[in-house]
Amino acid sequence: MSLSLTVATLASLVGQIPAQAQTTFSDVPSDYWAAQYIQALVERGVIRGFADGSFRPDEPITRAQFAVLVNQAFERPTVRSAVRFRDVESSYWAASAIQTAYTEGFLSGYPGNVFNPAQPMPRAQVLVALASGLELKPSGTNASVIGGFRDYNSIPFYALDGVAAATFRDLTVNYPNIDFLNPNRAATRAEVAASIYQGLVATSRAPALESPYIP
């Protein structure tokens, strides 16, 4: 799917989406917990490394960056008409991806018709976004699927259905402790890479990878 972004354009966006595709990253050793997910997405052209050769796996991901990644990973049908967000100019580097992520149902705006593109995404919001865009549904009650998380009561009410659906389809990857979701902590780039890859598995577009961090 075209994002109307050139490699040269991306290369100038320090701190945004990486600029140059590569197969290894200086800050992702082979024994890094999410290395297999990151590498698999590199090979699929979903993620790229920054110009300095890093991936910055532990940095929080922003809503704009997430929009670009889901556009690169998935091609979904349009489920609603485009809108104009007051804080996303047409010249904004991720404007096209944000519109596509919105029309395909991955992301929504906030009251006042704003998108908050630079806002870090909490882990619960990432799982809800993937479950929504991929139209995933849980089996059984939410409590039966996610009630085993030791911080279950911290999951925002709005996110219960989406988190349950994502967990049921193995999109939830909890590192370092499989029993803790940490739903309100900002999701890292590595965590999002893992969940996006699991989304490809759930939609039969990628083979499953073994991981001790999937509940």
Side-chain angles (χ1 to χ4, degrees):
M1 178 180 298
S2 173
L3 300 180
S4 300
L5 294 172
T6 66
V7 172
T9 299
L10 290 175
S12 66
L13 299 169
V14 177
Q16 300 295 338
I17 288 297
Q20 185 177 5
Q22 49 192 354
T23 57
T24 59
F25 301 111
S26 59
D27 54 352
V28 183
S30 59
D31 60 351
Y32 183 73
W33 74 269
Q36 61 178 346
Y37 297 112
I38 294 168
Q39 180 63 28
L41 292 183
V42 168
E43 293 171 356
R44 290 172 173 268
V46 174
I47 58 177
R48 300 175 175 87
F50 288 91
D52 63 359
S54 68
F55 179 69
R56 306 174 194 176
D58 299 320
E59 282 190 1
I61 198 163
T62 67
R63 285 167 55 81
Q65 290 175 338
F66 179 83
V68 172
L69 291 184
V70 294
N71 272 265
Q72 296 281 29
F74 307 107
E75 187 167 354
R76 302 292 296 173
T78 296
V79 297
R80 56 189 172 188
S81 300
V83 299
R84 183 178 179 84
F85 294 111
R86 293 194 298 109
D87 56 348
V88 180
E89 297 292 333
S90 59
S91 59
Y92 184 66
W93 69 275
S96 176
I98 289 170
Q99 281 298 328
T100 303
Y102 175 82
T103 59
E104 292 182 354
F106 284 101
L107 291 169
S108 297
Y110 290 97
N113 208 31
V114 298
F115 184 78
N116 292 330
Q119 181 184 81
M121 288 185 69
R123 279 172 49 79
Q125 189 179 106
V126 168
L127 295 175
V128 169
L130 290 172
S132 176
L134 299 177
E135 299 183 309
L136 304 179
K137 304 296 181 185
S139 178
T141 65
N142 289 344
S144 70
V145 179
I146 56 178
F149 292 139
R150 296 176 66 178
D151 52 357
Y152 170 80
N153 290 330
S154 297
I155 302 173
F157 180 77
Y158 84 87
L160 288 172
D161 289 346
V163 170
T167 301
F168 178 69
R169 297 299 298 275
D170 291 337
L171 272 65
T172 302
V173 185
N174 293 341
Y175 173 86
N177 191 325
I178 195 173
D179 294 328
F180 283 90
L181 179 66
N182 295 307
N184 301 304
R185 175 176 58 73
T188 67
R189 289 166 51 80
E191 290 170 336
V192 172
S195 289
I196 284 179
Y197 184 85
Q198 288 299 105
L200 291 170
V201 175
T203 53
S204 303
R205 296 185 58 199
L209 300 175
E210 291 293 329
S211 173
Y213 305 113
I214 299 176

